[in-house]
Amino acid sequence: MHRRTVVTVVTALAVVLGAALAGVHGQSLSGEYKIGVLEPLTGPLAGEGKRHLEGYEIVRDMINERGGVMGKKLVFVAADAPDPTAAASEANRLITREGVKIITGTFSSRLCGAASEAAARHNVIYWESSCVDPRFNKRGLKTVFRTEIDATGFGWYNIEFIVKYLAPRFNTKPNQLKIAFLSEDSSYGQGVTESARARAKQEFGMQEVAAEYYSFTSINDFTPIITKFKQLNPDVVHHIGYTNDAPLFWRQAREQNFLFKALVHAGATGYGSPDFGKALGNDANGVFALLEPGPGFRLDALRPEGQKIEREFREAVQKRTGSYPFGGHQLAGGGLWLLKVVLDRAKSDDLDKFRDAVMSLDLPVGSVINGWGVKFAENGQNANERVQHYMLQWQSGQLVTVWPEEFTTNRAKWIPLGAWDARK
Amino acid sequence: MDPARRLGRAQIDVLAQLGVSTVLLGGIYALIAVGLTLIFGIMRVVNFAHGEFLMLGMYVAFWAYSLWTLDPYFVLFVSIPLFFGIGYLTYVLVMRGVIHASHNVQIFTTVGLSTALQNVALVLWTGDFRTVRPWHSSVVIRVFGTAFNLSQVVAFAIALGLTLVLFAFMKWTHTGRVMRATAQDHDAATLMGVDTDKVYRLTFAIGIACVGAAGALVSPLYAVYPTAGLQFVLLAYVVVVLGGLGDMVGAMLGSLIVAAVEVVGSYFFGVAWKEVCYFILFIAVLVFRPAGLFGQRGAETLGV
């Protein structure tokens, strides 16, 4: 190495080190408040992880334009968590080296458990914005909070939609409705399906005609299942699928002329993925998927303060990415905004004060980004009925918001679905 | 209609549909398994990268379709020579070095190759799920209460044709006879003046050409993504072991048996049980008939 290069490197190191030290000491001096952001930025989950980081950054800038948090400028230390081991070790590093008192992240259900466990050991607040693993807040930890609903919340909403919206339009009482459950067998599919099954049966007495699980990594043919379902003749098929199996099921259901009244899915994979529309074109018409708000979402249905922040959020996303917010932006951005709301109230990152502020929050639906409201339970989970979710439907190659009706300008079509060739 | 009569008719339709599904799914498994059984049977190499060559075959069909709207059946004519070349190169560059090494080394090599190919696909084409939608993939044929997809029927017909051609090639041509001789006794074949290296090169190239063709044929039916091969490769092993290594007709029959177990198991016990069903069959065959259901030549060199 040349001497000059060595000098440059050493100088650079000294500057970085000095800045880092100043950062630690200077949290109160320079008026910055630092939090850790943990997302998978490399590896197979990176695409969605980067979108989350983008969502956080957009809302961070919005927060700073509005006075920051606790009177300080909000800054991030971002760390890469491609797998659970890295998630735990990076969480440790953020806490011990960077001295953060709050970590937010990590989107994947594979990562949030390990990362939050590491944070809990240091008594550091863990603010999760999107993982849906139901076990996340069932560990008795006082330090974990989740703004998004979990997989069981998806099941809750799907049944809500079937009972409140579909059943009256089928002229059927919920307890006369025949429902067939089909799902891939990961913790996501099982979480959604089992909570939907329990609610359908216990609360509404629906008639469950089948509950089938399969592995999405090895399913090559749905015709045996479709043949069986045809005989059972369900009104509603509740299918939680991934992106290779959902198009296969739908294509084969069409081939077998399997007629039912509605198919309901939840989440951004499978029927909720843009790949589904690409795979099937107009044949996709009629499928329902529970997601964050999409095209057709009515701003004026929100409360005034919610309208304002949602409009500003969309404009900020539009400015940065040139498009309507994706799910990742909405979950990360919505989650970070709530953190600001809590910090404004707690005026401290002291765990007890922070927790009291979280628990005392009580905002109705329509108050913040995504039209959400807030009411946390003791286990740190935001309430299902406050984290408003929306039913989207495939209509002519596009997923559009159709429910709840007060939130959208679009209306659901093909209820009941009718013949396969008649859904144009 | 009289409910009792309708029930009877419905039951017949169900059985007919299950039968049709078995045959067509079996056709897809056979397509993938013939190349594998050839390589496995003659070279005694466990090619764990077989599924990745299938995936590459699917991507070739996908790009040809999305860039130039070429039908996968047309792509077939390009894919077969292309994958013959890829197989040939893979043998020369990778497999030749480990062909006389222990099975462990071969397994590590092919597993490594498989992971490398998956990641190359991931880097080049991202993890998105792509689809090929030629006109025939949405044509549905309905016969007596059963329904099936035109692309699947074509895939089955070509699988059947390919199996027969390979069977005839192995049985009646000189090259086929040399290949079988090498499989039966590598050393004796060398003593008889057979260039075994050439035989292996050819075998690997033909095997990969078959799976490249399979990739084009299944592309209208399944999503194309970097780990698409994993969906089928374990199954192809079950098929190959069931049918007997290196036995083309055995692979066809083995595919039909696996498909029947899968379809019937899914219908009567639930889809969750399908893998339990056919892996029990797999283990039973290994325990009771290690040479495959139909027996095979040269089983002793496998040490099974």
Side-chain angles (χ1 to χ4, degrees):
Chain A
M1 211 185 275
H2 294 292
R3 172 171 285 175
R4 186 182 292 170
T5 327
V6 175
V7 171
T8 319
V9 169
V10 170
T11 318
L13 273 177
V15 169
V16 170
L17 204 64
L21 285 172
V24 173
H25 290 289
Q27 247 175 25
S28 54
L29 296 175
S30 67
E32 286 192 344
Y33 183 76
K34 186 159 66 174
I35 67 168
V37 177
L38 207 52
E39 287 289 339
L41 302 174
T42 58
L45 302 170
E48 200 55 38
K50 285 178 177 158
R51 191 168 294 151
H52 274 75
L53 183 58
E54 195 170 58
Y56 284 126
E57 287 170 353
I58 290 166
V59 170
R60 176 197 61 196
D61 295 346
M62 286 174 64
I63 289 171
N64 287 332
E65 285 160 17
R66 289 161 185 75
V69 290
M70 300 181 289
K72 294 171 192 162
K73 186 181 173 194
L74 179 66
V75 294
F76 288 167
V77 204
D80 180 18
D83 57 63
T85 317
S89 62
E90 284 296 274
N92 272 322
R93 186 181 66 82
L94 289 174
I95 295 160
T96 55
R97 297 288 171 92
E98 301 283 348
V100 302
K101 294 277 184 248
I102 299 173
I103 292 178
T104 188
T106 37
F107 124 69
S108 166
S109 295
R110 284 182 59 213
L111 307 170
C112 64
S116 57
E117 197 80 36
R121 257 178 258 129
H122 296 278
N123 243 7
V124 159
I125 294 158
Y126 189 88
W127 191 260
E128 175 61 49
S129 64
S130 25
C131 98
V132 295
D133 189 339
R135 292 167 295 188
F136 176 78
N137 45 18
K138 294 197 175 119
R139 294 169 294 176
L141 300 176
K142 296 286 174 202
T143 51
V144 300
F145 305 92
R146 175 162 53 193
T147 51
E148 158 74 322
I149 53 176
D150 67 5
T152 62
F154 285 168
W156 188 93
Y157 265 102
N158 275 0
I159 297 303
E160 186 82 359
F161 172 69
I162 292 166
V163 167
K164 300 261 166 79
Y165 188 85
L166 292 180
R169 283 160 181 80
F170 298 158
N171 291 320
T172 315
K173 291 202 178 69
N175 63 6
Q176 291 164 342
L177 210 58
K178 285 193 283 183
I179 182 164
F181 291 96
L182 177 65
S183 176
E184 60 83 28
D185 59 4
S186 78
S187 69
Y188 151 69
Q190 290 198 30
V192 182
T193 304
E194 288 306 313
S195 68
R197 285 179 73 186
R199 189 163 189 232
K201 195 172 174 187
Q202 288 156 14
E203 239 177 275
F204 301 106
M206 277 185 212
Q207 298 173 30
E208 176 183 301
V209 295
E212 290 274 356
Y213 282 103
Y214 62 88
S215 159
F216 74 93
T217 55
S218 66
I219 187 86
N220 297 324
D221 189 9
F222 278 108
T223 56
I225 273 329
I226 292 167
T227 310
K228 191 154 131 182
F229 278 13
K230 273 172 87 169
Q231 290 175 297
L232 299 168
N233 195 23
D235 297 305
V236 176
V237 176
H238 185 279
H239 183 192
I240 305 301
Y242 267 110
T243 312
N244 58 330
D245 43 329
L248 183 64
F249 177 82
W250 195 248
R251 174 173 71 71
Q252 294 193 317
R254 178 180 160 271
E255 284 167 17
Q256 297 298 322
N257 198 27
F258 172 30
L259 296 169
F260 47 93
K261 293 177 182 165
L263 185 139
V264 183
H265 165 89
T269 61
Y271 300 96
S273 159
D275 290 341
F276 182 74
K278 279 186 212 150
L280 289 148
N282 277 345
D283 285 343
N285 280 352
V287 175
F288 292 108
L290 186 80
L291 287 160
E292 282 68 48
F297 183 48
R298 272 179 58 202
L299 271 179
D300 54 357
L302 306 184
R303 298 166 66 85
E305 67 275 24
Q307 281 183 36
K308 183 169 180 295
I309 189 68
E310 173 71 17
R311 182 179 300 113
E312 287 165 0
F313 172 65
R314 279 196 216 171
E315 280 165 6
V317 174
Q318 182 78 36
K319 200 171 144 200
R320 165 114 177 221
T321 68
S323 81
Y324 195 90
F326 285 107
H329 299 129
Q330 291 169 318
L331 292 176
L336 185 64
W337 185 259
L338 285 185
L339 179 64
K340 175 204 155 51
V341 173
V342 171
L343 286 172
D344 281 352
R345 184 173 282 231
K347 298 190 174 62
S348 163
D349 56 12
D350 172 72
L351 181 59
D352 292 332
K353 286 182 188 152
F354 185 90
R355 227 185 125 73
D356 288 346
V358 172
M359 294 309 153
S360 70
L361 266 184
D362 189 354
L363 303 176
V365 166
S367 302
V368 283
I369 291 177
N370 304 329
W372 288 354
V374 190
K375 183 65 199 155
F376 277 87
E378 275 300 314
N379 62 6
Q381 174 63 54
N382 201 357
N384 284 342
E385 55 274 35
R386 297 292 174 96
V387 189
Q388 181 65 52
H389 271 59
Y390 305 84
M391 198 54 81
L392 277 67
Q393 188 183 36
W394 280 103
Q395 296 183 357
S396 310
Q398 205 187 11
L399 263 177
V400 298
T401 317
V402 295
W403 179 84
E405 286 196 331
E406 61 268 31
F407 287 105
T408 174
T409 54
N410 291 311
R411 289 294 170 261
K413 297 179 185 171
W414 307 291
I415 300 178
L417 278 171
W420 282 88
D421 295 334
R423 301 170 198 168
K424 296 285 181 256
Chain B
M1 206 197 286
D2 170 32
R5 252 182 72 200
R6 220 178 75 198
L7 193 71
R9 176 72 197 279
Q11 302 303 53
I12 292 167
D13 282 353
V14 165
L15 289 179
Q17 182 61 50
L18 293 181
V20 168
S21 296
T22 298
V23 170
L24 294 179
L25 187 64
I28 287 168
Y29 293 166
L31 261 181
I32 297 159
V34 281
L36 190 68
T37 200
L38 190 73
I39 294 172
F40 209 170
I42 291 171
M43 299 170 65
R44 302 295 186 240
V45 167
V46 189
N47 179 21
F48 276 99
H50 201 70
E52 277 56 51
F53 288 106
L54 177 78
M55 173 271 290
L56 291 178
M58 293 169 85
Y59 268 109
V60 168
F62 167 76
W63 286 115
Y65 186 76
S66 54
L67 295 178
W68 304 294
T69 52
L70 288 180
D71 191 286
Y73 298 147
F74 181 78
V75 175
L76 211 54
F77 293 101
V78 185
S79 275
I80 292 175
L82 177 69
F83 278 85
F84 186 90
I86 291 176
Y88 194 95
L89 267 181
T90 310
Y91 178 80
V92 173
L93 297 175
V94 182
M95 299 313 296
R96 182 187 275 161
V98 296
I99 191 78
H100 298 299
S102 74
H103 281 309
N104 286 345
V105 174
Q106 293 172 350
I107 289 170
F108 291 145
T109 309
T110 55
V111 168
L113 186 63
S114 139
T115 311
L117 290 176
Q118 275 172 30
N119 284 284
V120 165
L122 187 65
V123 171
L124 289 181
W125 306 310
T126 75
D128 288 356
F129 289 76
R130 328 273 192 148
T131 30
V132 183
R133 273 165 52 93
W135 62 272
H136 45 83
S137 71
S138 49
V139 174
V140 186
I141 302 168
R142 298 184 197 282
V143 186
F144 303 122
T146 69
F148 40 92
N149 181 301
L150 182 59
S151 302
Q152 224 172 338
V153 179
V154 173
F156 176 78
I158 295 183
L160 200 63
L162 202 62
T163 309
L164 291 177
V165 167
L166 276 180
F167 176 78
F169 172 77
M170 294 292 286
K171 196 155 178 98
W172 289 304
T173 65
H174 177 71
T175 320
R177 213 170 293 133
V178 168
M179 284 163 86
R180 279 186 290 140
T182 313
Q184 279 178 13
D185 194 327
H186 168 265
D187 295 335
T190 316
L191 290 177
M192 295 300 123
V194 171
D195 180 353
T196 52
D197 187 58
K198 191 173 151 195
V199 169
Y200 288 156
R201 245 179 311 176
L202 191 66
T203 307
F204 203 78
I206 296 176
I208 300 303
C210 288
V211 80
L217 288 166
V218 302
S219 65
L221 298 165
Y222 296 102
V224 185
Y225 56 103
T227 51
L230 297 180
Q231 195 98 1
F232 301 99
V233 75
L234 265 185
L235 253 160
Y237 277 101
V238 180
V239 165
V240 166
V241 168
L242 224 58
L245 311 181
D247 185 338
M248 305 306 143
V249 177
M252 187 78 211
L253 293 174
S255 299
L256 290 172
I257 291 170
V258 167
V261 168
E262 181 173 334
V263 167
V264 172
S266 300
Y267 180 80
F268 287 103
F269 307 113
V271 233
W273 288 94
K274 73 164 199 172
E275 272 166 320
V276 176
C277 294
Y278 66 62
F279 276 103
I280 287 177
L281 180 69
F282 178 71
I283 294 167
V285 168
L286 281 178
V287 172
F288 297 110
R289 283 195 66 97
L293 280 181
F294 314 104
Q296 62 130 358
R297 300 164 295 270
E300 63 280 3
T301 61
L302 282 167
V304 284

